[in-house]
Amino acid sequence: MAAPGEEEDVMARYRSPLVSRYASAEMAYNFSERKKFGTWRRLWLYLAQAEKSLGLSITDEQIQEMEANLDNIDFKMAAEEEKKLRHDVMAHVHTFAHCCPKAAAIIHLGATSCYVGDNTDLIVLRDGFNLLLPKLARVISRLADFAEKYADMPALGFTHYQPAQLTTVGKRCCLWIQDLCMDLQNLEQTRDDLRFRGVKGTTGTQASFLQLFEGDHSKVEELDRLVTAKAGFKRAYMVTGQTYSRKVDIGVLAVLASLGASIHKICTDIRLLANLKEIEEPFEKDQIGSSAMPYKRNPMRSERCCSLARHLMTLVMDPLQTAAVQWFERTLDDSANRRVCLAEAFLTADIILSTLQNVSEGLVVYPKVIERRIRQELPFMATENIIMAMVKAGGNRQDCHEKIRVLSQQAAAVVKQEGGDNDFIARVRADPYFSPIHKQLESLLDPSSFTGRAPQQVAKFLKEEVRPVLIPYQSKMGGKIELAL
């Protein structure tokens, strides 16, 4: 630690890479000390305003003094007070009172620490979702444009990471988009389901406020309603302990973990496609893929997404265990844990969405490589079509099946044992048995005839299920994103 008065060398202390290296300024601010303690002061103001409107002896002058000092926070004094008092809320009560001497007597009147602590957390969670949702919509929009562009381009499909029936580049992208649309809906629903803790007192009974209003239950209920509305919430939880139920945090981190799973799957697919040289993430002119191998084009953005998505997926274990051990009205073993996991979940989600947006805006497709891979596998897939054509031309199905079995095994041996190209069709052309359909082979091997309804599925999916959910975010789509690192 630097001595008092000395300028601290920030490079001599650990800094979370989530903030120092990756996250957006907006999300970093959302979980900052300034946002947190500034919100505490606003909540004290809302409480005083509501209490005054319901008849408590609070003056306009006191309210005005509080309003004038909402962002006038002496963080050094607050730190000194907390070191002395060992209580962060009371440290900031004293700090606020110091610059609001006329209002000092009514700051935090009737409230418990969780009035500012929990309510601020709920505001920050709501605002965090409001930052993430447009970013997620932008990723979906960029991928939708990509899917539309490549809706008709045949590509080899894979099941078990083994060659399977053909799909299209755009159809595969729609699998990614569908998962992200589910995440968009889940994030919206979780945000909209958030309620305010409100004005509930030390164990959630509102006893202190009932005493302030001399037993008037209607005024206590109205106080809760007024403060909830001032904070921008439509509803408050009807019952709480000292805290809002920690199951709320489970729901919040669960949808973020689910988003992490979606992005991990998408970026894993991109990494596999990069290995196949079919599709690559953007690679800048001066970018270095390897310090030892200059030719390499590593999918570092997708790898970063996978790396951070794994962290995001594990964070939901924290609120699960915290909720399980909140004895009776609350214990304090939730506090330190929540300082870490809630912020890290949103910061991590923010980072991987920004990175995936950058990837989706610069995906590079290599049609010739895709075509070559289809040529390697399609002849085997076309065997059923060849049999059907031969039968229509008067051939015997069983004889044709045996001929194809022999020729396909010979071609497979060339591919696997000799490392050659698939020459199955050449063998069919050279065999007089198949002469009745030689002229049909080109049409029988047209890749577009093996993609089924993939192009139509892409068009219908984008039109009916994707574009409509993006409408609320149209004004926030913005331009391309450039990554700082």
Side-chain angles (χ1 to χ4, degrees), residues 153-301:
M153 181 179 284
L156 186 64
F158 290 91
T159 58
H160 315 275
Y161 200 38
Q162 300 300 312
Q165 201 170 60
L166 299 193
T167 184
T168 70
V169 172
K171 170 63 190 301
R172 175 178 284 141
C173 184
C174 285
L175 299 179
W176 305 339
I177 295 169
Q178 181 168 250
D179 287 352
L180 294 176
C181 284
M182 292 181 192
D183 293 315
L184 186 76
Q185 182 180 30
N186 291 338
L187 263 65
E188 288 176 336
Q189 186 66 54
T190 303
R191 176 201 61 187
D192 294 345
D193 284 346
L194 285 175
R195 301 189 193 185
F196 205 48
R197 177 191 176 272
V199 183
K200 297 297 195 296
T202 55
T203 57
T205 65
Q206 298 177 305
S208 58
F209 297 104
L210 191 63
Q211 185 176 3
L212 280 174
F213 290 104
E214 299 179 344
D216 191 329
H217 290 270
S218 64
K219 284 190 175 182
V220 176
E221 289 184 5
E222 182 63 6
L223 177 70
D224 203 358
R225 189 195 67 78
L226 286 172
V227 174
T228 297
K230 286 177 181 291
F233 286 81
K234 295 179 180 178
R235 297 182 299 170
Y237 296 107
M238 291 186 69
V239 294
T240 72
Q242 189 170 91
T243 67
Y244 68 79
S245 171
R246 294 310 184 218
K247 283 186 71 69
V248 174
D249 296 341
I250 297 174
V252 168
L253 265 64
V255 295
L256 296 180
S258 182
L259 171 65
S262 299
I263 294 178
H264 198 295
K265 186 264 193 281
I266 292 167
C267 290
T268 299
D269 283 357
I270 292 171
R271 292 165 65 189
L272 293 170
L273 289 167
N275 172 259
L276 297 174
K277 298 180 174 61
E278 292 190 8
I279 294 177
E280 288 181 344
E281 66 178 39
F283 196 89
E284 295 166 17
K285 184 168 72 75
D286 296 325
Q287 183 174 329
I288 294 175
S290 166
S291 61
M293 296 168 279
Y295 60 87
K296 293 194 77 178
R297 291 170 64 95
N298 298 334
M300 52 82 68
R301 292 168 174 83

Side-chain angles (χ1 to χ4, degrees), residues 114 118 202-203 241-246 249 321-338:
C114 285
D118 271 30
T202 55
T203 57
Q242 189 170 91
T243 67
Y244 68 79
S245 171
R246 294 310 184 218
D249 296 341
Q321 295 182 71
T322 294
V325 297
Q326 287 302 288
W327 306 340
F328 304 113
E329 281 64 50
R330 77 88 50 102
T331 62
L332 195 61
D333 61 350
D334 63 336
S335 179
N337 185 287
R338 293 174 71 251

